[in-house]
Amino acid sequence: MKRKEVTEVFNEAELAQLVSQAEQAFASAVTGDQLRAARIAHLGESSPVSLANRAIATLPKASRKEVGQAIGATRFAITTALSAREPIVAEWDLQARIRDERVDMTLPVTLHPQGALHPVTALIHELGDIFTAMGWEVADGPEAEADWLNFDALNFTPDHPARFLSDTFFLDPPEDKRILRTHTSPVQMRTLLTRDLPVYVVVPGKVYRSDEYDATHLPVFHQLEGLAVDKGLGMADLKGTLDHMARALFGANARTRLRPHFFPFTEPSGEIDLACFVCEGQSVGNPARPCRTCRSEGWIEWGGCGVVNPRVLAAAGIDTEVYSGFAFGMGIDRTVMFKNGAQDMRDFAEGDTRFSRLLVGVAR
Ligand code: DAH
């Protein structure tokens, strides 16, 4: 660039104009992005001041100093104007961000799904309430149980089929003679050995049998055991207790019946059936109206029961001339199945909260 052009283009008036153009550009920038663009236009590599600055080298030595000072002063004025504007725009940017990123705490939110009580747990709570309301206690016992308490103390003969490998899970080492309890009945003897008479207890808990895992069997399921030992208890007290339990669970119209059966630890023993509360017996002999709940039999098998065999009481050191008792045991999972309409036992073991919510609703 020739000297003439440089001095012509960058005379004082024009340099002053560069400053006022830059000032205007900075003043009209209201966001950080706009201010950055204005800075590039007015101070960047190809801005007029930078180009002029580079052109100084082409001037004759004599005029370089003067022109250089004028351009330097121009650049300083523009830089000063930029620095004055920067904090203002930065503050506006900050305010805009605070406004835009504001969180409205009053907006509705998606709640994390809540857990749900397992239907078996829910029924165990309900059963506990029914019995404690009558003054009974809730007891428990270990799932890994002494062979003696699970069988011998309950008057099972040494060759009773329930003791065999096909039914029972045995624990190592064999000389410890421990098994996974096959029913909650061993807690009967534990209760009699540890509590004072009279005894009124229910025992909910897990039991184990080497069953297949299918729609109607689980190798682990739940039972509710009941045991009452007092002066003068008999079959009528048993029947009254079971009827009360049935009505508390299934409504005022619930009915039960006892069928003779055999258990080594009760004498006499019975099986308790529940009158089908779905078809109320109307499906019996009526193919036009089949009932899934009772399989059109009118009655649902619910559990076992009986008057406590005096041998069991005697084994616990109880005077059988003075005391007598009754006992019962039923499947809790089975009860959930016909009370709440569960179809497949495997759902009980899957741990899917959708199953629990469907049957008992969200956890309280
Ligand atoms: N323990 C028995 C079973 O698992 C059920 C049972 C029957 C329990 C009669 C009792 C009873 O307390 O008296 O099949």
Side-chain angles (χ1 to χ4, degrees):
M1 203 179 284
K2 302 226 169 69
R3 180 187 173 220
K4 196 173 159 226
E5 289 166 41
V6 173
T7 47
E8 265 173 14
V9 174
F10 296 106
N11 61 39
E12 265 181 36
E14 279 171 338
L15 289 175
Q17 212 191 333
L18 287 187
V19 175
S20 69
Q21 279 170 357
E23 282 172 350
Q24 268 173 35
F26 296 155
S28 59
V30 292
T31 68
D33 285 346
Q34 289 169 359
L35 192 59
R36 259 188 300 284
R39 190 199 62 199
I40 290 165
H42 295 276
L43 285 170
E45 299 245 311
S46 27
S47 64
V49 249
S50 297
L51 293 177
N53 205 40
R54 257 178 269 143
I56 294 171
T58 66
L59 296 177
K61 275 216 162 109
S63 53
R64 280 189 201 168
K65 187 176 176 196
E66 192 194 337
V67 175
Q69 278 175 349
I71 291 173
T74 304
R75 191 179 182 88
F76 179 73
I78 297 174
T79 310
T80 308
L82 176 67
S83 310
R85 187 67 177 166
E86 268 170 350
I88 298 169
V89 172
E91 175 64 19
W92 288 344
D93 262 4
L94 178 66
Q95 293 306 331
R97 266 185 59 199
I98 290 172
R99 191 185 59 234
D100 294 347
E101 292 174 9
R102 210 180 117 203
V103 175
D104 184 350
M105 306 295 278
T106 66
L107 283 177
V109 290
T110 315
L111 291 173
H112 286 295
Q114 290 183 355
L117 279 186
H118 193 282
V120 167
T121 310
L123 185 58
I124 287 174
H125 290 178
E126 193 178 342
L127 289 164
D129 288 347
I130 292 169
F131 280 91
T132 51
M134 292 193 289
W136 291 48
E137 290 177 84
V138 178
D140 68 0
E143 290 165 26
E145 184 57 285
D147 183 334
W148 184 81
L149 285 168
N150 194 87
F151 295 122
D152 305 72
L154 293 166
N155 200 32
F156 282 82
T157 49
D159 56 352
H160 194 283
R163 289 176 177 256
F164 299 149
L165 256 182
S166 54
D167 266 339
T168 305
F169 289 110
F170 293 84
L171 294 174
D172 278 337
E175 56 274 22
D176 279 3
K177 293 196 183 308
R178 285 200 315 156
I179 57 161
L180 292 178
R181 67 181 179 194
T182 60
H183 51 179
T184 42
S185 303
V187 189
Q188 289 192 19
M189 182 55 77
R190 287 184 172 273
T191 303
L192 295 177
L193 293 175
T194 54
R195 285 171 199 246
D196 294 333
L197 295 171
V199 155
Y200 290 87
V201 292
V202 279
V203 184
K206 284 191 172 60
V207 300
Y208 300 80
R209 288 183 201 172
S210 52
D211 274 334
E212 289 301 316
Y213 177 68
D214 63 26
T216 52
H217 296 91
L218 293 178
V220 186
F221 53 101
H222 300 79
Q223 288 188 332
L224 180 82
E225 190 78 19
L227 173 70
V229 179
D230 203 343
K231 289 177 184 158
L233 290 184
M235 209 65 184
D237 305 290
L238 169 65
K239 181 74 161 82
T241 304
L242 294 173
D243 279 346
H244 173 75
M245 177 179 169
R247 283 194 290 268
L249 286 177
F250 298 99
N253 294 330
R255 282 181 305 126
T256 63
R257 77 172 179 193
L258 292 174
R259 272 180 298 113
H261 200 75
F262 175 78
F263 293 102
F265 44 96
T266 40
E267 182 57 38
S269 302
E271 279 203 313
I272 172 167
D273 293 343
L274 194 64
C276 182
F277 48 88
V278 175
C279 71
E280 290 170 335
Q282 304 213 13
S283 67
V284 183
N286 184 359
R289 230 201 116 186
C291 178
R292 276 167 85 168
T293 307
C294 67
R295 292 197 213 88
S296 304
E297 286 171 9
W299 295 91
I300 307 161
E301 264 185 48
W302 198 13
C305 59
V307 171
V308 180
N309 192 321
R311 286 169 161 240
V312 174
L313 297 181
I318 294 170
D319 184 349
T320 55
E321 297 294 319
V322 181
Y323 286 98
S324 59
F326 63 84
F328 56 88
M330 54 262 307
I332 295 178
D333 314 67
R334 253 180 78 69
T335 307
V336 170
M337 281 184 101
F338 45 78
K339 184 173 192 288
N340 305 44
Q343 302 290 339
D344 192 321
M345 279 291 244
R346 286 167 292 197
D347 288 334
F348 286 78
E350 300 278 315
D352 187 331
T353 53
R354 287 173 299 182
F355 169 71
S356 304
R357 275 204 211 94
L358 199 68
L359 291 200
V360 289
V362 173
R364 278 151 282 163

